[in-house]
Amino acid sequence: LKTIKIAATSKQSSVVEISLDTKVPEKGEQIINTLFLKYQEAALKDKNLVAANTLSFVEDRLKLVVRELDSVESNIEQYKTREGIID
């Protein structure tokens, strides 16, 4: 961990520069590539979790709206029957 250096390229950037001081450049490259792959996996898991939570929320809201619509339609039907209104 002491040999890994991570720095933002600028204050407003979301890009970081990663370097690793090692005597074996190939090993350092492998370590950084593995670190990057693990970061991508974690980011993908986060996106999937957000998508799943969003889908669940939308499905719950849709069920609620359907129940409310059914209730309104039922009230309209009862009103038409009670008042003798014919379609």
Side-chain angles (χ1 to χ4, degrees):
L1 288 175
K2 293 178 183 179
T3 60
I4 294 178
K5 295 177 183 151
I6 302 172
T9 56
S10 73
K11 288 184 179 183
Q12 296 177 344
S13 176
S14 62
V15 177
V16 295
E17 184 177 309
I18 301 173
S19 62
L20 178 68
D21 293 331
T22 180
K23 293 179 181 178
V24 183
E26 294 82 15
K27 181 179 178 183
E29 185 178 346
Q30 287 179 339
I31 290 170
I32 289 175
N33 286 339
T34 301
L35 180 64
F36 180 71
L37 288 174
K38 293 298 180 181
Y39 173 80
Q40 284 182 315
E41 289 173 8
L44 184 58
K45 284 181 183 178
D46 285 345
K47 285 182 182 181
N48 287 340
L49 181 61
V50 168
N53 288 340
T54 301
L55 179 60
S56 177
F57 172 77
V58 169
E59 287 175 341
D60 289 345
R61 292 295 298 160
L62 183 57
K63 288 175 187 175
L64 177 66
V65 169
V66 166
R67 280 195 309 265
E68 289 175 352
L69 183 57
D70 285 345
S71 175
V72 169
E73 288 177 346
S74 177
N75 289 343
I76 291 171
E77 177 97 13
Q78 290 173 6
Y79 174 78
K80 285 180 179 181
T81 302
R82 188 175 55 244
E83 299 297 322
I85 299 172
I86 301 172
D87 287 334

